[in-house]
Amino acid sequence: MTTLSELPDEQLLRLDHQICFSLHAAARAFGGVYRVALKDLDLTYPQYLAMLVLWEHGDQPVKRIGERLRLDSGTLSPLLKRLETAGLVRRERSVEDERSVTVRLTEAGAALRERALEVPRRISRATGLAVSDLTELRAMLERVTSALDAAATDEATLTGS
Amino acid sequence: MTTLSELPDEQLLRLDHQICFSLHAAARAFGGVYRVALKDLDLTYPQYLAMLVLWEHGDQPVKRIGERLRLDSGTLSPLLKRLETAGLVRRERSVEDERSVTVRLTEAGAALRERALEVPRRISRATGLAVSDLTELRAMLERVTSALDAAATDEATLTGS
DNA sequence: CACAACTGAATTGCGCACAACTGAATGACG
DNA sequence: CGTCATTCAGTTGTGCGCAATTCAGTTGTG
């Protein structure tokens, strides 16, 4: 198997450029399309992700949402507050463990799911991508992500030489 | 070809969830790995992208960097100011067109390229991904990005029905 | 030439991402 | 039982990403 390390310096830096840039660009392009599609719902892309988790798995503590989205409280706390202000969720201190805060869908939050079904349809119509392509893309992304996550855990391979 | 629109609602929302989430997660995982690998250079990931552009294409106006990275002045202006503070670039008003600002590598900025060659090697070593995989991933990402960019231009398909 | 339209950077404001820290609540252990 | 480590949310600070605006400089048009 050919790895990056075996390439000459020129190509090395160039390919790295292309890959990290194209991923960066793809994420932002997706964000842009979702931003437009989500305008009707008055949700940002990360807020939509949080709502998807709640719609799919029901009421759950902040901790759990963070695990599913791989986001920490520094990101989630203000985000969930905004969703609460918008009337889509309530946040309640858990009774059995007062450190924990349970996030619950309100009527309005649950009802929004109906209108949210329109979003993937719009994305699909806009891009015209095939399910097979998207599934393949997803598989590849997940492979890369788990490789990167594993690497991040073992920092020695990154910092040291 | 099967498109998302032809799937039942349940799977639709679910697959959308998976795809937009996995892309989001992959971008952040990449960011995390680069953050560690770039710590030595005192560069953030987007700053590294800007430096890559300068190393590859030489001194150029802010406008041009923005085109290459698809970033606007709202993002680039403060970023380039930080690179200037760090002593890696200089920003000079163009003589022939005083609206334009040319970004030039300093000695230190040009010299940093040597040490930056270590970065993709670290990424490669950390992930162990094959060049063929990465090339394929890049191709797929670029396909998706151009599809999304095209869709974003024609907002009607996203906002209206 | 004068005035309108446009262009390139910069600034402001908002939200997300992450690191570092705080603080309260819980659990483990001597 | 009391202390100490851990856990969960929240806060603070920094930087990115984008929309909207500002402003100087340039270009096009009558």
Side-chain angles (χ1 to χ4, degrees):
Chain A
M1 180 181 89
T2 311
T3 64
L4 282 182
S5 336
E6 300 167 34
L7 288 178
D9 284 353
E10 299 307 317
Q11 291 173 41
L12 190 68
L13 205 55
R14 193 171 160 67
L15 186 59
D16 180 55
H17 173 148
Q18 291 170 351
I19 290 163
C20 68
F21 169 69
S22 58
L23 190 76
H24 202 64
R28 286 187 295 125
F30 248 92
V33 167
Y34 272 95
R35 190 172 309 117
V36 176
L38 288 169
K39 209 160 45 181
D40 281 3
L41 307 184
D42 274 314
L43 287 178
T44 66
Y45 185 48
Q47 286 166 8
Y48 173 63
L49 292 179
M51 292 301 289
L52 282 174
V53 166
L54 289 167
W55 287 325
E56 187 168 345
H57 302 283
D59 303 347
Q60 56 196 294
V62 174
K63 179 80 194 310
R64 216 150 160 60
I65 299 176
E67 284 166 3
R68 296 192 199 275
L69 298 181
R70 293 172 201 256
L71 289 173
D72 66 7
S73 64
T75 301
L76 282 177
S77 288
L79 186 153
L80 293 170
K81 263 191 190 172
R82 280 174 215 117
L83 289 180
E84 187 171 41
T85 304
L88 299 177
V89 305
R90 267 190 309 275
R91 295 178 308 139
E92 298 169 1
R93 281 279 157 196
S94 165
V95 189
E96 60 269 19
D97 186 344
E98 293 199 1
R99 291 170 304 182
S100 174
V101 168
T102 303
V103 181
R104 304 187 186 285
L105 284 170
T106 61
E107 289 270 326
L112 193 65
R113 186 177 183 281
E114 287 304 311
R115 291 172 55 207
L117 285 170
E118 199 51 40
V119 173
R121 267 194 277 271
R122 286 181 184 177
I123 303 291
S124 168
R125 197 168 45 233
T127 62
L129 293 171
V131 169
S132 58
D133 281 352
L134 292 174
T135 303
E136 193 187 346
L137 174 64
R138 178 168 64 85
M140 199 171 292
L141 287 171
E142 281 171 6
R143 216 146 45 79
V144 172
T145 301
S146 63
L148 292 172
D149 278 349
T153 310
D154 173 24
E155 293 204 8
T157 55
L158 284 170
T159 53
S161 117
Chain B
M1 180 182 87
T2 310
T3 63
L4 283 182
S5 337
E6 300 166 34
L7 290 178
D9 284 353
E10 298 307 318
Q11 291 173 41
L12 191 67
L13 203 56
R14 194 170 160 67
L15 186 58
D16 181 54
H17 174 147
Q18 290 170 352
I19 290 163
C20 68
F21 169 69
S22 58
L23 190 76
H24 203 65
R28 285 188 296 125
F30 247 93
V33 168
Y34 272 95
R35 191 173 306 118
V36 176
L38 288 170
K39 208 161 46 183
D40 281 3
L41 307 184
D42 274 314
L43 288 177
T44 66
Y45 186 49
Q47 285 166 8
Y48 173 64
L49 292 179
M51 292 301 289
L52 282 173
V53 166
L54 288 168
W55 287 325
E56 187 170 345
H57 301 285
D59 303 346
Q60 54 196 294
V62 174
K63 179 77 194 307
R64 215 151 160 60
I65 300 176
E67 285 166 1
R68 296 192 199 276
L69 299 180
R70 292 173 200 258
L71 290 173
D72 65 8
S73 65
T75 301
L76 282 176
S77 287
L79 186 153
L80 293 170
K81 262 191 190 174
R82 280 175 216 117
L83 290 180
E84 187 171 42
T85 304
L88 299 177
V89 306
R90 269 190 308 275
R91 295 179 308 139
E92 299 169 0
R93 282 278 158 196
S94 165
V95 189
E96 59 268 19
D97 185 344
E98 294 199 0
R99 290 170 304 182
S100 175
V101 168
T102 303
V103 182
R104 302 185 187 285
L105 285 170
T106 61
E107 289 270 324
L112 193 65
R113 187 177 184 280
E114 287 305 310
R115 292 171 57 208
L117 285 171
E118 201 49 39
V119 172
R121 268 194 277 269
R122 286 182 184 176
I123 303 292
S124 168
R125 197 169 44 234
T127 61
L129 293 171
V131 168
S132 58
D133 281 353
L134 292 174
T135 305
E136 193 187 346
L137 175 64
R138 177 169 63 84
M140 199 172 291
L141 287 171
E142 282 172 5
R143 216 146 46 78
V144 173
T145 302
S146 63
L148 292 172
D149 278 350
T153 310
D154 174 24
E155 294 202 9
T157 54
L158 285 169
T159 52
S161 114

